[in-house]
Amino acid sequence: RRLAGTRRMMAVIKADAYGHGAVPIAKTLEQAGADWFGVATVEEAMELRAAGIEKPVLLLGGLYMSDPADLIEYHLTPTVSSTVRLDTYAECAQRYGRTIEFHLKVDTGMGRLGLPPDRVEAFIKHYRELPGLQLKGLFTHLASAEDLVASQTEEQAARFGEALRQVQGFGINPEWIHVSNSAALVAYSPFPENLVRVGALLFGYCLP
């Protein structure tokens, strides 16, 4: 929290809190003041809800084959990186008469899950045509924030900044902006964010 300053803290506890036990870890971190939890799958999120964890939970891996209705029942926030998922969630939102909030992930260079930067404009245009959805967050994942010599982090930050400007250009101002992971938090890389995602540092992984 000292490193994060005014930014809120998301504790990433996917894969059973990296083998440490998701439920006891989540309960401890919730008491310690974690603002969000990040998990990989809806099943991991459901385990937290069953244990009484009430903090917001972001599905970092999307929803995959799970029932979209689980988002509503368990009050979960999915990651979205394609218009196909938008259509699925919009249909579910209409069916249950509820709003589904989501975070848009932009792939700025990690090469994993994420919307390509050149498709952000088309994505937002499609999103604005669909009822029952609310874009509550925008984020990306840094590939090598621990490398203080390479320029990749700066390049990713520039791409993310442009994606944020595009989204805001449509009059959309996501409540949550998050870029920094554990390595970026230690390296103190300034980003236009109000939330950080911390995983490795919570479990004793020492970063340079």
Side-chain angles (χ1 to χ4, degrees):
R1 281 202 171 278
R2 286 194 298 270
L3 289 172
T6 60
R7 294 168 291 180
R8 297 297 181 91
M9 185 76 67
M10 179 185 296
V12 179
I13 55 171
K14 59 187 178 181
D16 196 32
Y18 300 91
H20 294 80
V23 169
I25 290 291
K27 288 183 175 180
T28 299
L29 292 175
E30 188 173 49
Q31 292 175 357
D35 302 293
W36 277 77
F37 288 105
V39 299
T41 67
V42 70
E43 289 77 18
E44 291 179 350
M46 289 166 62
E47 181 183 23
L48 298 183
R49 292 291 187 244
I53 300 298
E54 298 181 351
K55 293 290 186 180
V57 176
L58 179 65
L59 304 177
L60 294 165
L63 196 64
Y64 297 111
M65 299 304 293
S66 300
D67 186 348
D70 290 336
L71 300 176
I72 295 172
E73 181 177 356
Y74 296 99
H75 306 287
L76 308 177
T77 303
T79 290
V80 175
S81 57
S82 74
T83 54
V84 173
R85 275 297 173 204
L86 277 184
D87 293 335
T88 300
Y89 297 157
E91 187 279 329
C92 181
Q94 283 188 296
R95 185 177 359 131
Y96 289 94
R98 300 278 294 277
T99 297
I100 292 179
E101 300 176 353
F102 70 92
H103 287 202
L104 170 60
K105 182 177 183 180
V106 179
D107 181 9
T108 57
M110 182 70 178
R112 201 188 288 169
L113 182 70
L115 181 75
D118 61 1
R119 293 175 56 188
V120 170
E121 182 177 348
F123 179 96
I124 296 299
K125 288 180 178 178
H126 188 67
Y127 156 69
R128 295 180 71 182
E129 296 174 350
L130 299 174
L133 302 178
Q134 187 173 13
L135 198 167
K136 292 286 284 186
L138 183 72
F139 74 108
T140 192
H141 190 78
L142 299 173
S144 56
E146 70 281 357
D147 190 337
L148 304 182
V149 178
S151 61
Q152 185 175 18
T153 298
E154 288 74 16
E155 294 167 357
Q156 286 191 255
R159 295 188 193 106
F160 183 78
E162 176 57 30
L164 178 58
R165 284 188 289 273
Q166 288 188 64
V167 171
Q168 292 175 331
F170 282 93
I172 300 171
N173 291 289
E175 180 179 356
W176 299 106
I177 308 294
H178 44 115
V179 178
S180 291
N181 54 13
S182 291
L185 189 63
V186 171
Y188 186 66
S189 301
F191 301 107
E193 62 186 357
N194 57 3
L195 178 67
V196 296
R197 303 185 310 274
V198 182
L201 282 178
L202 296 174
F203 305 101
Y205 185 73
C206 184
L207 295 159

